[in-house]
Amino acid sequence: MEGKSPVSSEFRDGLIAAIPGLRAFGMSLTARPDRADDLVQETLMKAWNHHDSYQLGTNLRAWLFTILRNEFYTHIRKRRREVEDADGVYAGAVAVSGGQESHLEMAELQVALAQLPDDQREAIVLVGASGFSYQEAAGICGVAVGTVKSRVSRAREKLAQLLGGDGPTPGAFDKRLDAVEMPPKS
């Protein structure tokens, strides 16, 4: 392309390394693999086409997650006429294959996550599953750090209710999230 600098191998490698995290975040937002893949593809295309606007030395993952989040909300605005699943009826109808208990627990967690308000689900996935700090998540979401902390706290409480726990104690979801660690409440 004329006028654009070439894409560095560091930038390209960073994009590739971020794909699994972007896909997981996309799945948490959409609950549909096809839409999550579309979001990731759009994110990567936009990042590639606008690589000149990325500032070297800043957090590439956070920049990509911000692009994905913005793309998700753009799609939501465009799809206002689609059927919403606010009460989780469609998410609850998803069949789970296999007979291992961990798959069932993960399915329960996915159904419970789908029942959270978008802002709470987004916050707990960014902080708990994607490993972003509260500050980084606040930057991605464009809100104050305290807002992210509040959303994560409310999401933990709601998940505890939905999953039959006694309350939002730190580490309460470790078994259900397998390798994903939730940060302690601050």
Side-chain angles (χ1 to χ4, degrees):
M1 288 185 168
E2 208 172 297
K4 286 207 170 215
S5 62
V7 175
S8 71
S9 61
E10 179 183 333
F11 182 82
R12 185 188 68 238
D13 293 345
L15 288 182
I16 292 168
I19 291 173
L22 290 169
R23 187 164 193 284
F25 186 46
M27 279 293 297
S28 74
L29 294 173
T30 66
R32 290 191 43 193
D34 58 332
R35 286 194 181 167
D37 289 341
D38 290 346
L39 273 175
V40 171
Q41 182 176 359
E42 281 295 317
T43 299
L44 295 173
M45 286 175 40
K46 285 186 179 199
W48 189 267
N49 288 332
H50 299 350
H51 71 276
D52 287 338
S53 66
Y54 171 69
Q55 296 175 1
L56 289 175
T58 60
N59 189 336
L60 178 62
R61 281 186 67 225
W63 186 68
L64 293 169
F65 273 65
T66 301
I67 294 171
L68 187 137
R69 179 185 181 271
N70 291 342
E71 189 65 24
F72 170 72
Y73 285 113
T74 298
H75 283 234
I76 291 242
R77 285 190 294 275
K78 289 179 182 177
R79 295 181 174 158
R80 292 220 187 256
R81 295 187 194 117
E82 287 189 15
V83 176
E84 290 187 26
D85 189 22
D87 57 1
V89 171
Y90 295 108
V94 175
V96 178
S97 61
Q100 295 183 355
E101 192 172 300
S102 62
H103 290 293
L104 294 174
E105 289 175 347
M106 186 56 88
E108 288 175 13
L109 179 61
Q110 288 174 333
V111 169
L113 281 170
Q115 293 179 42
L116 293 176
D118 289 344
D119 60 343
Q120 290 178 18
R121 181 176 57 248
E122 176 180 76
I124 200 160
V125 168
L126 285 172
V127 173
S130 298
F132 286 103
S133 69
Y134 287 114
Q135 291 79 11
E136 291 171 323
I140 290 169
C141 296
V143 298
V145 174
T147 302
V148 171
K149 289 180 179 182
S150 175
R151 289 175 181 175
V152 169
S153 176
R154 288 192 315 263
R156 283 185 181 144
E157 289 175 17
K158 183 67 174 174
L159 285 174
Q161 286 177 342
L162 293 170
L163 296 172
D166 294 332
T169 56
F173 306 110
D174 289 348
K175 290 181 183 175
R176 294 182 194 264
L177 291 176
D178 260 352
V180 178
E181 289 185 27
M182 297 299 237
K185 289 175 86 172
S186 356

